[in-house]
Amino acid sequence: NAGVTQTPKFQVLKTGQSMTLQCAQDMNHNSMYWYRQDPGMGLRLIYYSASEGTTDKGEVPNGYNVSRLNKREFSLRLESAAPSQTSVYFCASSEDKVNTEAFFGQGTRLTVV
Amino acid sequence: DAKTTQPNSMESNEEEPVHLPCNHSTISGTDYIHWYRQLPSQGPEYVIHGLTSNVNNRMASLAIAEDRKSSTLILHRATLRDAAVYYCILRDLGAGSYQLTFGKGTKLSVIP
């Protein structure tokens, strides 16, 4: 059972380049999330998707776009990367309940130079 | 969003019990108390959750105060693998999302 799979695991970008972080889950969850984690900090929500075809902004959405391609996949796009977007990015998914657990991917470590 | 307060760091000796406290004085009646932990270089993983009653699972126990304004995560015998950052999170259906709002958590060090 794969759970939540993120690709790539590591990426180095030059300022101004674009890239898409991929996330897929195999648990048939409606809700999916993208977080970023800066050194010494907790995770901050970038965007979330409550169901296929819907997305909403989280706490720190500026500089990012997302696509909920289907129920399994939720991608995060950086159109013009900036050094401030150097971070570890985590994708997560959960059922539509507050009394169940969320599952996280292993993260993508992104460096923008 | 209701917020939680945790100590920045704690230490424990290996094979001894660990009590990780969390204050959530503004908790609402529908907030579930969740605990997650994050091992070094990994994504967060679920530990336990509860609403009003104390809860036990294979990983830990959760003790919830009667007024629900605080809770304690109990690791019965700390191992080196339990060294991680532990996050106490209140989860509710805020703004139509089941998101988890993370604070800085408590960094637990386990001494051999």
Side-chain angles (χ1 to χ4, degrees):
Chain A
N1 194 353
V4 177
T5 304
Q6 290 182 235
T7 55
K9 288 186 170 52
F10 300 93
Q11 184 71 49
V12 178
L13 289 178
K14 294 182 178 178
T15 297
Q17 286 185 318
S18 62
M19 79 161 294
T20 300
L21 281 64
Q22 306 286 352
C23 175
Q25 52 93 8
D26 61 2
M27 294 168 284
N28 203 37
H29 289 161
N30 279 326
S31 295
M32 296 187 73
Y33 317 87
W34 275 105
Y35 289 89
R36 63 175 285 174
Q37 185 174 33
D38 299 318
M41 306 286 289
L43 282 71
R44 292 184 293 170
L45 184 68
I46 305 172
Y47 271 92
Y48 64 92
S49 170
S51 62
E52 182 180 348
T54 68
T55 61
D56 284 286
K57 296 178 180 179
E59 181 186 354
V60 287
N62 290 345
Y64 305 96
N65 287 303
V66 289
S67 295
R68 185 71 181 270
L69 305 170
N70 47 55
K71 194 169 186 179
R72 287 189 66 246
E73 298 172 291
F74 188 36
S75 61
L76 178 72
R77 183 161 178 83
L78 287 70
E79 290 291 352
S80 179
S84 61
Q85 294 178 304
T86 293
S87 190
V88 181
Y89 292 83
F90 291 100
C91 178
S93 73
S94 73
E95 293 182 17
D96 298 342
K97 299 175 183 178
V98 294
N99 61 342
T100 60
E101 64 183 285
F103 295 83
F104 287 80
Q106 289 299 298
T108 296
R109 187 173 297 274
L110 176 66
T111 302
V112 183
V113 297
Chain B
D1 289 342
K3 296 191 182 301
T4 62
T5 304
Q6 300 177 252
N8 289 334
S9 62
M10 291 184 65
E11 276 189 355
S12 173
N13 293 318
E14 194 177 9
E15 298 190 2
E16 295 200 349
V18 182
H19 291 235
L20 296 163
C22 181
N23 288 319
H24 28 78
S25 59
T26 59
I27 191 171
S28 74
T30 55
D31 286 335
Y32 277 80
I33 302 161
H34 285 248
W35 285 82
Y36 282 74
R37 73 179 185 180
Q38 188 174 21
L39 303 173
S41 300
Q42 294 192 26
E45 65 175 351
Y46 168 82
V47 177
I48 201 166
H49 76 274
L51 183 62
T52 57
S53 303
N54 294 344
V55 184
N56 300 297
N57 66 20
R58 64 176 180 81
M59 289 181 69
S61 296
L62 176 60
I64 301 173
E66 196 169 335
D67 63 6
R68 301 211 323 129
K69 293 186 176 182
S70 65
S71 61
T72 302
L73 179 70
I74 302 165
L75 307 179
H76 295 287
R77 288 184 66 196
T79 68
L80 296 178
R81 194 190 176 278
D82 292 322
V85 178
Y86 287 78
Y87 297 98
C88 170
I89 299 167
L90 302 182
R91 194 176 190 199
D92 68 353
L93 184 52
S97 163
Y98 298 90
Q99 64 177 284
L100 296 162
T101 301
F102 288 80
K104 292 186 179 181
T106 296
K107 184 175 183 178
L108 175 66
S109 300
V110 179
I111 303 168

